[in-house]
Amino acid sequence: MIDYELTCAKVREIVLRTAQMIKHERQNFSALHNVETKGHSNFVTHIDKLSEEMLVNELSTLLPESGFIAEEGTSTKKGEIYNWIIDPIDGTTNFIHGLPPHAISVALMENSEVVVGVVLEIAGGEIFYAWKNSQAFCNNKVIQVTGFSEHQQALIATGFPYYDMGKLETYMDTMREIMAKTS
């Protein structure tokens, strides 16, 4: 059995190093020349691939017996007990346009349970993390949901679907309902 808290701390270090590489690579990035299309409004850049390779290599060193579920397919190794889930640039469309948020998202599954999670919003430098049976943190401070119990007090934030237009009508109906009942 691994130490979840220690593993989470090491993953944060790996994610922070990866973010530095992404920021460095972003300086010479051109949306006109460095973007591939995987499908309608579904993009990938060489920086996605490079950052995923870095994450896979470093996480493999951290937990050699682990496998990967990696968005860009850098590794398809399956672990018997442990598997990392990686999105090297979560929000590639925003990244391409130079807009936040875009993040590195990494989770560790033990069997079918997520036991460590780290998300670093690259532009803003906020790092969110938790491990099994811990509180959730942002930049070393405990975070939690508000104590509001009424819908009209709740603040809801969302992105918009951009590649599965078959569900657009259902999404818009849901948004209409939520917007009418929340802050």
Side-chain angles (χ1 to χ4, degrees):
M1 180 146 175
I2 64 170
D3 179 327
Y4 302 130
E5 183 176 1
L6 179 61
T7 301
C8 187
K10 290 181 178 183
V11 172
R12 290 195 314 271
E13 292 171 9
I14 291 168
V15 165
L16 287 166
R17 282 194 299 274
T18 304
Q20 288 305 312
M21 182 276 297
I22 290 170
K23 288 178 182 179
H24 176 76
E25 289 292 319
R26 182 71 173 88
Q27 293 173 7
N28 298 315
F29 177 79
S30 166
L32 295 175
H33 301 101
N34 299 114
V35 177
E36 296 173 36
T37 303
K38 296 191 292 186
H40 175 69
S41 297
N42 191 1
F43 306 107
V44 65
T45 70
H46 75 283
I47 302 172
D48 288 86
K49 294 175 183 179
L50 192 61
S51 58
E52 186 172 285
E53 287 175 13
M54 183 174 177
L55 290 165
V56 166
N57 290 337
E58 293 203 32
L59 294 169
S60 291
T61 301
L62 178 60
L63 197 58
E65 69 273 22
S66 63
F68 295 89
I69 302 168
E71 184 178 23
E72 307 309 334
T74 300
S75 175
T76 56
K77 176 185 172 191
K78 296 297 177 209
E80 206 170 301
I81 298 172
Y82 297 106
N83 286 284
W84 296 102
I85 304 167
I86 301 172
D87 190 339
I89 302 179
D90 193 357
T92 298
T93 300
N94 287 9
F95 177 78
I96 289 168
H97 294 284
L99 298 171
H102 49 274
I104 299 170
S105 298
V106 176
L108 177 63
M109 278 193 336
E110 181 177 51
N111 297 312
S112 61
E113 179 182 22
V114 174
V115 294
V116 171
V118 176
V119 175
L120 171 64
E121 199 291 305
I122 299 167
E126 288 184 311
I127 189 163
F128 299 87
Y129 57 93
W131 57 90
K132 184 177 179 177
N133 298 323
S134 77
Q135 294 180 299
F137 297 87
C138 177
N139 295 343
N140 300 318
K141 293 182 181 174
V142 174
I143 57 173
Q144 61 191 27
V145 297
T146 66
F148 297 133
S149 60
E150 301 296 322
H151 289 125
Q152 54 273 42
Q153 297 171 316
L155 176 64
I156 306 296
T158 186
F160 294 99
Y162 51 85
Y163 56 83
D164 186 355
M165 294 302 142
K167 297 179 181 179
L168 185 59
E169 195 63 38
T170 301
Y171 182 81
M172 295 307 289
D173 289 344
T174 303
M175 286 300 301
R176 196 173 292 107
E177 185 79 13
I178 290 171
M179 289 175 69
K181 295 181 178 178
T182 66
S183 294

